């Protein structure tokens, strides 16, 4: 495919078009993904999550500038599970990352729930793969908030940075959504505000409660993203974590688990589609439902009939 060839040769236009194909679920999307797959697995993937307004985009902007200065090529996928528009609600991020958008070593793409058939987590993970095959060294997945869908999305990353803000009760919000458990590095951003020590103690306490006894103790770094303060130290911690992942074999393990989960999810999706297309929309299914309503049959028998048919198909 020409598009794939161009993408692998570094065409940004081809990358943009491939992303659109994946996002819009065009028929050729699967062929594109198949063709680029052998070229993936090279980039390092960083997830960034935290409450809206915590400063994730501001921090991403500053982090990326550090990596670009170090000669890295960086892809950014900004994902908003609450918006049906790609880029609509993330307009503010575009402004905050304005000068990055024109940098030839940076590629930014925003995604919403448009054409949500395949699920945003899967789609954003495919977009990451496209950027990986394109040749990005680092790919950042930034999500807008702290809900379950955000957790699912950042699970596609190798390491996760959780951004918290002092004095907001963010900590409690994060604990609820299971965000703390997925943090490999913590940033207390807006460290120009009061309450950093308290938040720091709370995160440390949470980490003490973690029963997994991991070899990696997530570091807590203070940043003032809007003033570019503490960002170099944060980069160091993020690099340390990636090094740890590589040296301990954890990276390989996490990626292998992710591959397995991805395949299972795709099988489920495929079977779900088959059921929707071939069974649920059939006359015979409608008749069986009616029979249940007349109490001539029961739901358990119908389910058995249907699954039996699928398994033999
Ligand atoms: N006081 C202060 N404001 C910040 C800091 N970092 C970001 N902001 C501001 O917080 C607001 C939200 O930032 P944004 O990056 O869009 O947050 P996001 O929703 O997590 O992506 C913006 O007005 C930023 O300028 C900081 O360290 N201190
Ligand atoms: Mg943002």
């Amino acid at each position: 495919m020409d598009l794939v060839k161009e993408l692998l040769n570094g065409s940004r236009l081809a990358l943009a078009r491939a992303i659109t194909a994946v996002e819009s679920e065009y028929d050729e999307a699967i062929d594109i993904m198949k063709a680029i797959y052998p070229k993936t697995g090279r980039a390092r993937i960083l997830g960034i999550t935290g409450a809206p307004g915590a400063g994730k985009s501001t921090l991403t902007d500053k982090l990326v500038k550090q990596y670009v200065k170090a000669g890295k090529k960086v892809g950014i996928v900004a994902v908003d599970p609450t918006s049906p528009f790609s880029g609509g609600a993330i307009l503010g991020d575009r402004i905050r990352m304005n000068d990055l958008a024109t940098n030839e070593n940076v590629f930014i793409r925003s995604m919403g729930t448009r054409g949500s058939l395949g699920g945003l987590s899967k789609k954003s993970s495919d977009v990451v793969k496209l950027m990986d095959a394109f040749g990005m060294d680092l790919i950042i997945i930034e999500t807008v908030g702290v809900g379950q869908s955000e957790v699912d999305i950042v699970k596609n990353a190798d390491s996760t940075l959780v951004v918290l803000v002092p004095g907001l009760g963010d900590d409690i919000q994060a604990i609820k959504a299971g965000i703390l458990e997925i943090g490999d590095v913590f940033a207390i951003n807006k460290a120009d505000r009061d309450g950093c020590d308290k938040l720091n103690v709370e995160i440390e306490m949470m980490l003490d409660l973690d029963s997994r006894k991991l070899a990696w103790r997530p570091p807590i770094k203070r940043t003032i993203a809007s003033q570019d303060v503490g960002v170099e130290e944060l980069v160091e911690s993020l690099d340390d974590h990636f090094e740890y992942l590589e040296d301990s074999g954890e990276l390989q393990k996490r990626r292998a688990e992710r591959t397995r989960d991805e395949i299972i999810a795709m099988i489920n999706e495929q079977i779900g589609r088959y059921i929707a297309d071939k069974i649920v929309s059939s006359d015979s299914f409608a008749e069986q439902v009616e029979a249940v309503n007349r109490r001539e049959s029961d739901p358990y028998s119908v389910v058995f009939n249907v699954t039996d048919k699928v398994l033999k198909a």
Side-chain angles (χ1 to χ4, degrees), residues 51-59 93 96 142 144 189-193 223-226:
K56 297 178 296 296
S57 298
T58 313
L59 202 50
D93 295 358
R96 271 183 271 296
E142 185 203 327
V144 291
N189 189 44
K190 306 201 182 181
D192 49 326
R193 294 187 178 172
T223 55
I224 308 173
S226 50

Side-chain angles (χ1 to χ4, degrees), residues 26-75:
Y26 294 157
D27 288 339
E28 76 247 36
I30 288 187
D31 294 327
I32 295 172
M33 292 311 299
K34 277 185 185 170
I36 60 104
Y37 197 84
K39 304 284 182 195
T40 61
R42 228 184 38 91
R44 172 183 158 187
I45 309 168
L46 170 67
I48 300 186
T49 189
K56 297 178 296 296
S57 298
T58 313
L59 202 50
T60 301
D61 176 72
K62 299 298 191 298
L63 283 173
V64 171
K65 281 179 177 140
Q66 296 276 337
Y67 282 104
V68 168
K69 210 164 68 186
K72 305 284 185 203
K73 291 168 74 179
V74 186

